Amino acid sequence: MTAEVLAFLGGEPGKIALFEAYEATVLACGESTRKVTKTQISWGNPYLFAMLSHPRRAADRKAGALLATIGLNRRLDSPRILQAVEPYPGRWTHHLLLSRPEEADGQLRAWLAEAYQFAQAKQRRS
């Protein structure tokens, strides 16, 4: 884990565990690059398909949760999705709250794999 990632997570053990579980799930999708900024950690291949950020709600931040964002070509219908927006036709951005490492489960893995493939397809069209 880099110093940038530790700084982003504030060195909090709970957030570190969430990050490690999420990143392991992301990396299982295939080769990608990670970028750390002040507001988010993102993975791309080269187009972004997965992100982590701090939740906007203070209660969620205090609870040590992280906000996962996944880009897909369709809208997911799941109670785990906090918000889904279509910023432009055929591109859906989904936000879900991660509060326990176990939430990086098979369902999330499948969504991330789909997002990875969607980003790969965008690259081939470019």
Side-chain angles (χ1 to χ4, degrees), residues 8 13 18 27 29 38 40 48 50 58 64-66 68 81 87 91-92 94 99 102 112 118-120 124:
F8 178 85
L18 287 173
L27 296 178
C29 296
K38 186 177 180 179
Q40 76 177 15
L48 296 183
L66 291 173
I81 304 300
R91 169 67 183 205
W92 285 89
H94 300 83
S99 55
E102 301 81 37
L112 285 166
F118 178 53
Q120 286 285 300
R124 288 189 290 272

Side-chain angles (χ1 to χ4, degrees), residues 99-115:
S99 55
R100 297 183 338 251
E102 301 81 37
E103 292 171 333
D105 59 7
Q107 185 178 48
L108 181 60
R109 202 167 310 136
W111 292 340
L112 285 166
E114 187 178 340

Side-chain angles (χ1 to χ4, degrees), residues 39-55:
T39 59
Q40 76 177 15
I41 301 172
S42 57
W43 291 265
N45 65 354
Y47 293 100
L48 296 183
F49 67 95
M51 287 73 68
L52 272 182
S53 59
H54 297 289

Side-chain angles (χ1 to χ4, degrees), residues 35-96:
K35 181 179 179 184
V36 182
T37 66
K38 186 177 180 179
T39 59
Q40 76 177 15
I41 301 172
S42 57
W43 291 265
N45 65 354
Y47 293 100
L48 296 183
F49 67 95
M51 287 73 68
L52 272 182
S53 59
H54 297 289
R56 290 190 176 159
R57 287 185 34 188
D60 294 331
R61 284 193 307 273
K62 285 182 182 177
L66 291 173
L67 188 69
T69 303
I70 303 169
L72 293 171
N73 63 344
R74 65 182 181 94
R75 184 183 182 132
L76 293 173
D77 183 25
S78 169
R80 293 178 72 177
I81 304 300
L82 294 177
Q83 181 184 33
V85 294
E86 188 178 23
Y88 59 88
R91 169 67 183 205
W92 285 89
T93 303
H94 300 83
H95 304 286
L96 60 147

